[in-house]
Amino acid sequence: MLAAVFLWFSSYAVCMDSAATASVLGRVAPTIALMVSQVMRLVPQFAARGRTILATERAASAAAPRTARERAAGNLRAVSVLMGWGLEDSLTRSDAMRARGWGCGVRRTSYRQDRLGRADIALLAIVVALVAVNIPLAAVACAQFSFYPTPPQLLAWWGYVPYAALMLVAPALYLGEVIRWRS
């Protein structure tokens, strides 16, 4: 489950940066927006710091591990140093946030770079409608599943058209963006 969460966040980080996360969730859930943006920043920072600690340890030839037990002790020492470094940073970060007024009880204002326009609402309505059409089709396909795994088939070929349309929304948006930026 932990690996799945890391995969989710790595996929999320490819699509969205911390500014976009704060823009989307800033007013609705400011604490969750802050937490997600901090995780997106701190996980790569922890990985880089871990590599730095291990490289520093490897650079000292006298501390080079000779046995598996010494390697395990070195890795445990590196994790201990990394956790101490992280805790020290968390104290500094929390003091900086408190100095900037985070958590003082006053509702914070937020800069909104992106507005929800008519085109966004129309696209959202199309996606919701396609999902609503796909739910009963998925129920029909799942009802045909038997103990012996055979691929379920909808009774009519047109049952796959809403699913194909739903899957083509993202590539169509990407293609539209590419065309818009090239012209």
Side-chain angles (χ1 to χ4, degrees):
M1 188 180 294
L2 182 62
V5 170
F6 278 133
L7 285 173
W8 290 343
F9 273 108
S10 65
S11 298
Y12 181 82
V14 169
C15 299
M16 303 274 284
D17 61 351
S18 59
T21 301
S23 176
V24 170
L25 295 176
R27 282 200 176 276
V28 179
T31 305
I32 292 174
L34 176 70
M35 182 180 67
V36 169
S37 65
Q38 289 291 323
V39 165
M40 286 173 51
R41 180 175 179 263
L42 294 177
V43 167
Q45 181 184 16
F46 263 47
R49 286 181 175 178
R51 286 190 297 271
T52 302
I53 292 168
L54 291 176
T56 305
E57 190 175 83
R58 273 189 245 113
S61 60
R66 294 183 186 101
T67 64
R69 185 174 187 174
E70 288 179 357
R71 262 193 310 273
N75 288 340
L76 189 60
R77 185 172 42 250
V79 168
S80 174
V81 169
L82 185 62
M83 289 301 125
W85 200 352
L87 287 172
E88 184 179 337
D89 272 356
S90 70
L91 291 174
T92 305
R93 193 169 281 116
S94 69
D95 286 343
M97 288 176 64
R98 192 173 300 117
R100 291 181 182 130
W102 183 266
C104 65
V106 178
R107 180 138 178 110
R108 299 174 59 90
T109 60
S110 63
Y111 170 71
R112 302 290 277 169
Q113 181 177 359
D114 302 316
R115 300 253 185 235
L116 191 64
R118 290 181 181 167
D120 300 324
I121 292 172
L123 182 65
L124 188 60
I126 290 169
V127 169
V128 167
L130 286 172
V131 167
V133 168
N134 277 308
I135 288 173
L137 295 173
V140 168
C142 289
Q144 295 175 3
F145 186 78
S146 63
F147 178 73
Y148 184 73
T150 58
Q153 295 181 355
L154 290 177
L155 300 176
W157 65 269
W158 53 265
Y160 292 103
V161 172
Y163 181 72
L166 182 63
M167 292 299 110
L168 288 175
V169 168
L173 289 173
Y174 179 75
L175 184 63
E177 185 176 332
V178 167
I179 292 170
R180 186 176 309 127
W181 282 100
R182 291 195 188 220
S183 60

